[in-house]
C-alpha cells in the first residue's frame, strides 16, 4: 500500500508538472531553463518511489540542473555589477534569458556549458565600464552564428543598437583565419568597416577573443596555433590602436604561450629565478622614492611597480639581439598623482636626486600617443645604482592607459566623448579607401602600414597634428591634409628647410606642403608614398587621366605572359575570362581589371591563374620547353660554331651578366659568369686558361630566366611577408622559398628561386630587399647552397 501511494504521487507529479511550484515559462522567458529543472525534480520523485527511497533523504540534483543553477548564479553576480537602474538590468536580464534559451543544449570543447562563454564576455565588458547595450550584445554575440535565431527575430526582441552590435560581431566571426589568405584579408576588411560604423563592435569582439584565448587548451594543436597567430597579428594590434594596453598585453602573452612554447617556458624560468631579488629591488626603490618625494610635499601620491609582459620582453630580445640578462627595464616604477602640473613637478624633483639617462626622457603628456596614452617616462640611475624606468601620470591618465577608448565611454548616452571621437579620424580615413582596394595583398600591406604600424605625429605650420605611419613622406602628409593638396603638391619644407618628397618624416616635424595649380601626381609617387590613402588617391588620379594607357599596358602584359606559356586564346575568350576577375578584385568593369594589371596592382601571372587554373600547368610546361631549347641560341662564342652550349649550374648567369665560355672535354662549351669562382680557378690553371673564350648574350628582348637569391636578416614577425612584397612589386614570380632560423643568434637565412626577365629586375628587387628593416645582406647564389 505504501509503495502504491508513493508511485501514485510520483505519477501525478509527472503527469501534472504544472502543479509543482514552478513559475510559468512565459513569465520568465525561459522556455528551456527553469521548467526543465523542475521536471528533473519530478523524475527524481518517481525514481525515489520506485526504489523505496525514504522521505527523509534529500534527492540529489541532476548534473544538468546543478549546472543550470551555477550559470544562473554567475549571471546574478554579473547583474550585481551593473548600475542599479531597473531599465538597464531588465535589458541585460532579457538578453540572458534569450541567450540561455538558444544556447541551452550547447557545450564547449572543454565540456562546460556554452552559456558560460557569453557570460564571461559580458563580465569583461563590465570590467571595461562599457554601456548596458554592449553588455547585452556581449551575452548575445554568438546567437546568430551558432543558433537558429535569425537577425529579424533578434531585431524584434531588442531595441537598437543591440541587434546592430550583434550583427556586426557576427559578420567578423563568420570567416576564420585558418582558411585561405584571401578570406583572412576579407575578414580584416570587415573588421575595419564594422569598427567605422560602431567601435563597440570591435570592443565586444576583443572581449570575445580574450576569453577564447584564456580557454584555448581543449582545442587541437593546429587550431590553437592558427587562432594564436590571428590574435597576435590582428587583434592585439587593434587593441593597441584603441589604447587598450592591458588587453593587448594579455592577448600577446596568451598567444606567445602557444606560438613560441619553448621561448615562453625559457623566459618564464629566467624571470622566476630573479623574481624575488627584482621585486625586492623595486620595493626598496619605491620606499626611497616615497620618502624623498614626501620632502617636496607629495605625501599622498601613489607609487607601484610594473612588470614587463612576456611577449614584450621576447620581442625586444628578438628585435635588438639582446640576451635576457642585457635587458634592464624588466620592471618600472609608476607614480600616480592628481594633476598634469604635479607630473612635471615630480619629474624635475626625481631628476634632482637621481641622474637621468640621456635620450631616455619621453613626454607623452604634451604629445600623447595616437592611442590616447599619456604619461611622462624617464630612465634614471636610481637606488643603489640600479637603472630604473619611471612613469609619471595622473590617475585618469592611468585609467585611459589601461582601458583605452573604453575608458571614455559614456554609459548613459552610449557614445564616446567628442574629444575622443576626433581621435578616431584615422579610422574614417582608412574606410575611405578600403572599399576601393581590390587586391588582397595590397589591402593587407596598406592596413599593416596604416593601422598596425608605429606612427609619427607631425604638425602643420598652424599647429594641427597629423598622424602618419613611421615611414611616411611629405606626399603622405599632403594627402592626409586633403586630396586636392596632395594632387597639387610640388615640394615641401620640413622644419622650415626645403626637403625632397622622398624624405622620411620624424616625430615632431613641422611640415609645410608647397602646391601649384600645374602640379600633379606621377607614377613614381607610388614608390614614395607609405600610406594606403595616399597610394589609393594617386592611383585614382593617374587612372582617371591615363586610363587608355593602363588598359593597353594590361593587354600587353597578358599577351606577353600567354606567349611565354604557349597558350593560344582569342581576345573575346580572354575578355570572357577577365569577367571572372571583377568580383574577387572588387572592380566594376573589364577595363578596370586591365588597368590594374597595366598599372602593376595585379600581376598578369596571378590574373591568368585566377582566370583558368589549367594555365598554371601550362606555365610549367612552357618553362620545360623553354629550358629544352638549344641554349646556344642565347649565347654567341667567339670563333666557335655548331658546338653544344649550356649554362653553368655553379653560377647560373642570366642575360645581362658578363659571361665567358669554357671548352669542356666532350660536353661542348659551358657558359659561366665572369665573377664565378670557377672562372678564377680556371684562369689560374695553365692548362684551363687557354680554354676560356669570350662570350656574349644573343638576346634582343626580355627572356624568363631562373635566379637564386640568399638573404640574411635579423629574425622577426612579418620579415618573410615584407621580403615577398618586394618580389610582388617587381612582378617577379617566386618558384621556391626555404627559410632557416638560428634562434641563438636571432638570424634568419632565406633562400629563394625566382623567374626574372633581365638583370635590371634582379638588381631592383635586391635593392628593395636590402631596404627591408633587419636585412643584413642579400645577393645571388647557386641554387639553395650557401
Amino acid at each position: 500500500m505504501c509503495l502504491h501511494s508513493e508511485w501514485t504521487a510520483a505519477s501525478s507529479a509527472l503527469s501534472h508538472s504544472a502543479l509543482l511550484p514552478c513559475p510559468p515559462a512565459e513569465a520568465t522567458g525561459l522556455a528551456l531553463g527553469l521548467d526543465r529543472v523542475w521536471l528533473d525534480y519530478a523524475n527524481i520523485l518517481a525514481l525515489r518511489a520506485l526504489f523505496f527511497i525514504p522521505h527523509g533523504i534529500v534527492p540529489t540534483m541532476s548534473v544538468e540542473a546543478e549546472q543550470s543553477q551555477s550559470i544562473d548564479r554567475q549571471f546574478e553576480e554579473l547583474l550585481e555589477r551593473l548600475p542599479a537602474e531597473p531599465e538597464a538590468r531588465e535589458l541585460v536580464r532579457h538578453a540572458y534569458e534569450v541567450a540561455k534559451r538558444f544556447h541551452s543544449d550547447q557545450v564547449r570543447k572543454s565540456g562546460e556549458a556554452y552559456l558560460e562563454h557569453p557570460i564571461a564576455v559580458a563580465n569583461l565588458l563590465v570590467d571595461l565600464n562599457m554601456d548596458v547595450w554592449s553588455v547585452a550584445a556581449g551575452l548575445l554575440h554568438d546567437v546568430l552564428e551558432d543558433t537558429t535565431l535569425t537577425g529579424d527575430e533578434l531585431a524584434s526582441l531588442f531595441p537598437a543598437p543591440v541587434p546592430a552590435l550583434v550583427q556586426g560581431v557576427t559578420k567578423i566571426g563568420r570567416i576564420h583565419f585558418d582558411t585561405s589568405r584571401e578570406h583572412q584579408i576579407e575578414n580584416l576588411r570587415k573588421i575595419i568597416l564594422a569598427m567605422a560604423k560602431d567601435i563597440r563592435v570591435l570592443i565586444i569582439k576583443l572581449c570575445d577573443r580574450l576569453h577564447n584565448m584564456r580557454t584555448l587548451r581543449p582545442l587541437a594543436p593546429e587550431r590553437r596555433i592558427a587562432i594564436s597567430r590571428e590574435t597576435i597579428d590582428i587583434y592585439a594590434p587593434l587593441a593597441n590602436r584603441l589604447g587598450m594596453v592591458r588587453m593587448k598585453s594579455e592577448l600577446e602573452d596568451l598567444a606567445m604561450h602557444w606560438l613560441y612554447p619553448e621561448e615562453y617556458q625559457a623566459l618564464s624560468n629566467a624571470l622566476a629565478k630573479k623574481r624575488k631579488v627584482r621585486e625586492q629591488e623595486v620595493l626598496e626603490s619605491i620606499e626611497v622614492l616615497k620618502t624623498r618625494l614626501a620632502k617636496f610635499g607629495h605625501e599622498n601620491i601613489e607609487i607601484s611597480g610594473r612588470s614587463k609582459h612576456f611577449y614584450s620582453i621576447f620581442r625586444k630580445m628578438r628585435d635588438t639581439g639582446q640576451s635576457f640578462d642585457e635587458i634592464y627595464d624588466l620592471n618600472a616604477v609608476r607614480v600616480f598623482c592628481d594633476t598634469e602640473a604635479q607630473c612635471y613637478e615630480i619629474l624635475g624633483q626625481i631628476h634632482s636626486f637621481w641622474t637621468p639617462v640621456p635620450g631616455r626622457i619621453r613626454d607623452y603628456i604634451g604629445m600623447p600617443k595616437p592611442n590616447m596614452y599619456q604619461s611622462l617616462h624617464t630612465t634614471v640611475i636610481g637606488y643603489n645604482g640600479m637603472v630604473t624606468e619611471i612613469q609619471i601620470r595622473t590617475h585618469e591618465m592611468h585609467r585611459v592607459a589601461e582601458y583605452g577608448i573604453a575608458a571614455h565611454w559614456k554609459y548613459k548616452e552610449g557614445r564616446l566623448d567628442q574629444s575622443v571621437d576626433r581621435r578616431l579620424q584615422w579610422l574614417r580615413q582608412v574606410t575611405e579607401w578600403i572599399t576601393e582596394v581590390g587586391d588582397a595583398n595590397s589591402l593587407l600591406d596598406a592596413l599593416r602600414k596604416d593601422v598596425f604600424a608605429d606612427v609619427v605625429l607631425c604638425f602643420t605650420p598652424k599647429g594641427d597634428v597629423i598622424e602618419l605611419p613611421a615611414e611616411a613622406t611629405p606626399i603622405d602628409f599632403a594627402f592626409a591634409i586633403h586630396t586636392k593638396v596632395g594632387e597639387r603638391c610640388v615640394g615641401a619644407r620640413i622644419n622650415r628647410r626645403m626637403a625632397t618628397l622622398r624624405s622620411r618624416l620624424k616625430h615632431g616635424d613641422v611640415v609645410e606642403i608647397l602646391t601649384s595649380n600645374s602640379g600633379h601626381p606621377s607614377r613614381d609617387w607610388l614608390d614614395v608614398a607609405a600610406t594606403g590613402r595616399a597610394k589609393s588617391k594617386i592611383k585614382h588620379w593617374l587612372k582617371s587621366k591615363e586610363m587608355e594607357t593602363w588598359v593597353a599596358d594590361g593587354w600587353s602584359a597578358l599577351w606577353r605572359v600567354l606567349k611565354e606559356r604557349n597558350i593560344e586564346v582569342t581576345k573575346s575568350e580572354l575578355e570572357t575570362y577577365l569577367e571572372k576577375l571583377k568580383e574577387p578584385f572588387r572592380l566594376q568593369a573589364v577595363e578596370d581589371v586591365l588597368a590594374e594589371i597595366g598599372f602593376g596592382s595585379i600581376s598578369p601571372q596571378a590574373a591568368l591563374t585566377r582566370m583558368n587554373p589549367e594555365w598554371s600547368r601550362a606555365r610549367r610546361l612552357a618553362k620545360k620547353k623553354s629550358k629544352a631549347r638549344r641554349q646556344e641560341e642565347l649565347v654567341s662564342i667567339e670563333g666557335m660554331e655548331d658546338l653544344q652550349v649550356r649554362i653553368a649550374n655553379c653560377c647560373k648567369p642570366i642575360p645581362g651578366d658578363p659571361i665567358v665560355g669554357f671548352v669542356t672535354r666532350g660536353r661542348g662549351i659551358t657558359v659561366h659568369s665572369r665573377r664565378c669562382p670557377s672562372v678564377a680557378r680556371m684562369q689560374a690553371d695553365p692548362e684551363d686558361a687557354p680554354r676560356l673564350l669570350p662570350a656574349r648574350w644573343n638576346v634582343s628582348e626580355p627572356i624568363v630566366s631562373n635566379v637564386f637569391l640568399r638573404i640574411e636578416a635579423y629574425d622577426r614577425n612579418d620579415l618573410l611577408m615584407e621580403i615577398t612584397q618586394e618580389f610582388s612589386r617587381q612582378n617577379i614570380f617566386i618558384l621556391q622559398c626555404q627559410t632557416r632560423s638560428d634562434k641563438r643568434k636571432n638570424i634568419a637565412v632565406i633562400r629563394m628561386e625566382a623567374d626574372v626577365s633581365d638583370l635590371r629586375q634582379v638588381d631592383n628587387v635586391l635593392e628593395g630587399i636590402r631596404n627591408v628593416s633587419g636585412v643584413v645582406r642579400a645577393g645571388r647564389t647557386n641554387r639553395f647552397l650557401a
Side-chain angles (χ1 to χ4, degrees):
M1 188 64 184
C2 181
L3 172 60
H4 176 74
S5 61
E6 288 277 14
W7 177 250
T8 302
S11 299
S12 176
L14 283 169
S15 303
H16 306 284
S17 56
L19 298 176
L20 292 171
C22 169
E26 294 77 14
T28 62
L30 301 181
L32 293 174
L34 292 176
D35 50 344
R36 177 173 295 169
V37 175
W38 286 97
L39 284 172
D40 284 340
Y41 184 64
N43 287 324
I44 291 168
L45 286 176
L47 289 172
R48 186 182 67 177
L50 184 62
F51 294 105
F52 304 98
I53 301 175
H55 277 289
I57 298 178
V58 178
T60 303
M61 186 176 295
S62 72
V63 173
E64 183 179 348
E66 189 174 350
Q67 192 175 55
S68 178
Q69 284 199 357
S70 172
I71 292 171
D72 287 340
R73 283 194 298 271
Q74 292 177 39
F75 171 71
E76 292 300 330
E77 291 169 2
L78 165 69
L79 207 60
E80 288 301 314
R81 302 179 62 206
L82 293 174
E85 287 92 334
E87 297 84 358
R89 293 196 172 188
E90 184 58 33
L91 175 67
V92 174
R93 183 178 291 280
H94 181 43
Y96 170 69
E97 290 169 351
V98 172
K100 184 171 183 179
R101 183 187 313 159
F102 284 93
H103 286 305
S104 61
D105 294 327
Q106 297 176 341
V107 293
R108 306 188 82 202
K109 289 284 187 181
S110 61
E112 296 174 340
Y114 193 91
L115 197 59
E116 294 192 19
H117 169 63
I119 291 176
V121 171
N123 269 303
L124 289 170
L125 290 164
V126 175
D127 291 341
L128 294 172
N129 290 316
M130 291 301 294
D131 58 60
V132 69
W133 293 282
S134 299
V135 177
L139 287 166
L140 296 163
H141 76 274
D142 276 335
V143 292
L144 296 184
E145 185 174 354
D146 295 330
T147 77
T148 58
L149 187 67
T150 66
D152 291 340
E153 290 170 342
L154 184 69
S156 69
L157 290 171
F158 292 94
V162 174
L165 293 175
V166 177
Q167 289 274 14
V169 178
T170 303
K171 287 179 181 178
I172 293 174
R174 274 188 176 148
I175 301 175
H176 298 288
F177 274 63
D178 57 348
T179 60
S180 72
R181 176 181 174 83
E182 289 178 3
H183 282 176
Q184 295 178 22
I185 297 167
E186 186 60 27
N187 201 19
L188 183 54
R189 190 198 303 268
K190 288 182 178 180
I191 292 173
I192 300 296
L193 294 177
M195 286 167 60
K197 290 181 180 178
D198 196 325
I199 201 71
R200 288 175 291 185
V201 170
L202 180 59
I203 296 175
I204 295 167
K205 185 62 182 177
L206 287 171
C207 291
D208 170 45
R209 177 49 56 104
L210 180 57
H211 185 252
N212 281 334
M213 289 300 297
R214 287 175 176 177
T215 56
L216 206 57
R217 186 175 294 278
L219 299 186
E222 60 273 13
R223 288 287 296 142
R224 292 198 296 254
I225 291 173
I227 293 171
S228 297
R229 173 54 59 193
E230 174 193 38
T231 298
I232 214 163
D233 284 348
I234 304 299
Y235 287 104
L238 282 172
N240 183 57
R241 203 67 170 82
L242 298 183
M244 303 169 72
V245 178
R246 175 183 288 186
M247 179 170 289
K248 169 244 183 190
S249 298
E250 186 175 353
L251 286 172
E252 287 179 336
D253 285 354
L254 290 168
M256 181 188 173
H257 176 74
W258 300 111
L259 292 174
Y260 308 100
E262 294 179 7
E263 292 86 345
Y264 186 92
Q265 190 58 49
L267 201 54
S268 177
N269 294 339
L271 287 167
K273 286 180 182 178
K274 297 185 177 181
R275 179 172 288 115
K276 288 186 178 180
V277 174
R278 199 168 56 249
E279 287 176 353
Q280 184 60 35
E281 289 175 343
V282 171
L283 287 173
E284 291 173 358
S285 295
I286 289 173
E287 288 303 315
V288 172
L289 191 56
K290 274 185 177 179
T291 302
R292 296 195 177 186
L293 289 177
K295 294 179 180 178
F296 290 96
H298 300 296
E299 295 91 352
N300 297 323
I301 61 170
E302 181 184 341
I303 304 178
S304 66
R306 185 272 300 167
S307 297
K308 211 175 185 73
H309 291 273
F310 276 35
Y311 186 72
S312 178
I313 301 170
F314 168 70
R315 188 171 55 191
K316 186 168 186 177
M317 292 170 62
R318 183 190 59 198
D319 293 347
T320 64
Q322 292 177 300
S323 67
F324 177 79
D325 293 330
E326 293 174 308
I327 297 177
Y328 58 80
D329 58 345
L330 294 173
N331 290 80
V333 172
R334 285 175 175 164
V335 180
F336 306 104
C337 53
D338 296 323
T339 66
E340 286 187 14
Q342 281 183 303
C343 292
Y344 288 101
E345 287 175 16
I346 291 169
L347 177 68
Q349 289 155 2
I350 290 174
H351 287 172
S352 70
F353 53 79
W354 282 342
T355 305
V357 176
R360 298 282 294 179
I361 303 171
R362 299 284 186 271
D363 183 357
Y364 296 118
I365 294 179
M367 189 180 291
K369 289 185 178 182
N371 62 5
M372 299 171 288
Y373 177 87
Q374 286 184 289
S375 188
L376 296 177
H377 289 199
T378 183
T379 302
V380 298
I381 309 300
Y383 174 69
N384 279 347
M386 183 175 67
V387 179
T388 307
E389 181 186 356
I390 301 177
Q391 301 169 359
I392 308 164
R393 62 184 69 155
T394 66
H395 295 286
E396 176 60 19
M397 290 174 190
H398 180 63
R399 193 170 72 89
V400 175
E402 293 288 290
Y403 301 112
I405 198 167
H408 289 277
W409 205 269
K410 287 189 174 181
Y411 167 74
K412 290 187 178 179
E413 291 86 355
R415 59 180 175 84
L416 284 172
D417 291 337
Q418 189 174 2
S419 60
V420 180
D421 192 53
R422 288 195 295 269
R423 293 271 185 173
L424 294 176
Q425 185 63 31
W426 61 270
L427 182 56
R428 295 181 183 86
Q429 291 176 350
V430 168
T431 57
E432 285 181 18
W433 55 263
I434 193 174
T435 54
E436 302 171 5
V437 181
D439 180 44
N441 290 324
S442 299
L443 174 61
L444 186 59
D445 183 29
L447 286 174
R448 287 185 183 280
K449 289 181 177 178
D450 284 23
V451 181
F452 301 152
D454 293 333
V455 298
V456 295
L457 297 181
C458 300
F459 298 91
T460 67
K462 293 183 178 181
D464 295 327
V465 180
I466 303 294
E467 177 190 327
L468 294 165
E471 296 297 313
T473 65
I475 291 175
D476 299 296
F477 189 94
F479 279 101
I481 294 173
H482 196 278
T483 300
K484 292 296 182 185
V485 175
E487 290 176 349
R488 296 175 182 175
C489 173
V490 293
R493 291 192 184 97
I494 301 177
N495 301 324
R496 298 186 178 180
R497 293 184 178 182
M498 289 299 299
T500 69
L501 294 180
R502 292 181 176 272
S503 303
R504 299 297 180 186
L505 301 179
K506 298 187 294 295
H507 205 63
D509 281 346
V510 177
V511 184
E512 180 184 358
I513 299 299
L514 307 178
T515 61
S516 169
N517 289 333
S518 60
H520 60 79
S522 70
R523 190 166 184 173
D524 292 340
W525 284 16
L526 291 171
D527 297 326
V528 177
T531 61
R533 173 183 170 82
K535 289 187 177 184
S536 174
K537 298 299 181 183
I538 294 167
K539 287 180 180 179
H540 179 77
W541 190 92
L542 290 172
K543 282 189 283 189
S544 67
K545 302 298 181 183
E546 305 175 28
M547 184 69 172
E548 291 184 6
T549 302
W550 305 131
V551 171
D553 287 351
W555 277 120
S556 298
L558 286 175
W559 288 123
R560 186 172 61 252
V561 177
L562 287 167
K563 183 179 178 181
E564 289 173 358
R565 301 184 181 187
N566 292 325
I567 298 171
E568 294 185 4
V569 62
T570 66
K571 185 175 181 180
S572 61
E573 289 173 337
L574 191 55
E575 286 177 340
T576 303
Y577 280 119
L578 284 166
E579 285 282 346
K580 297 180 179 180
L581 300 187
K582 291 192 303 183
E583 185 177 350
F585 288 113
R586 306 173 74 86
L587 298 169
Q588 299 299 316
V590 167
E591 287 73 19
D592 296 326
V593 178
L594 288 165
E596 291 292 337
I597 295 171
F599 206 78
S601 299
I602 303 172
S603 73
Q605 294 88 351
L608 289 177
T609 301
R610 272 190 178 255
M611 290 181 202
N612 188 346
E614 292 293 326
W615 289 351
S616 293
R617 286 187 281 276
R619 177 193 170 279
R620 292 193 289 270
L621 293 173
K623 181 184 170 185
K624 289 180 180 179
K625 185 174 180 180
S626 175
K627 188 174 181 180
R629 288 170 49 191
R630 297 179 61 205
Q631 292 184 323
E632 54 263 30
E633 294 178 9
L634 304 178
V635 178
S636 293
I637 307 296
E638 191 173 302
M640 291 288 177
E641 293 182 4
D642 297 328
L643 278 178
Q644 182 183 356
V645 175
R646 66 186 184 88
I647 303 298
N649 282 325
C650 55
C651 53
K652 295 287 287 187
I654 65 173
D657 283 331
I659 53 176
V660 62
F662 179 72
V663 181
T664 65
R665 292 183 174 89
R667 290 191 299 166
I669 296 176
T670 303
V671 178
H672 293 264
S673 167
R674 286 189 179 276
R675 293 186 288 266
C676 179
S678 298
V679 172
R681 289 195 297 271
M682 294 169 191
Q683 289 173 333
D685 190 324
E687 292 186 10
D688 289 342
R691 294 155 61 191
L692 290 169
L693 301 175
R696 63 180 176 81
W697 292 105
N698 205 17
V699 177
S700 59
E701 61 181 25
I703 183 169
V704 176
S705 305
N706 282 29
V707 67
F708 301 95
L709 306 178
R710 185 179 188 275
I711 304 152
E712 287 186 30
Y714 291 110
D715 202 1
R716 61 176 175 83
N717 274 350
D718 302 331
L719 173 65
L720 186 60
M721 182 199 72
E722 292 178 22
I723 288 172
T724 55
Q725 283 173 354
E726 295 299 327
F727 286 85
S728 178
R729 291 189 182 100
Q730 299 290 334
N731 282 332
I732 295 175
F733 194 86
I734 298 172
L735 298 172
Q736 295 186 67
C737 179
Q738 292 181 1
T739 61
R740 178 174 56 82
S741 181
D742 186 333
K743 293 181 180 179
R744 185 174 59 85
K745 296 181 180 179
N746 196 40
I747 290 288
V749 177
I750 303 169
R751 295 181 175 87
M752 296 178 134
E753 178 187 4
D755 276 351
V756 295
S757 57
D758 53 34
L759 187 62
R760 179 186 58 82
Q761 213 176 20
V762 179
D763 293 338
N764 288 344
V765 77
L766 284 173
E767 181 183 358
I769 291 170
R770 291 177 187 127
N771 289 330
V772 171
S773 176
V775 171
V776 178
R777 59 181 64 87
R780 288 170 61 185
T781 186
N782 170 38
R783 294 192 181 276
F784 290 113
L785 303 179

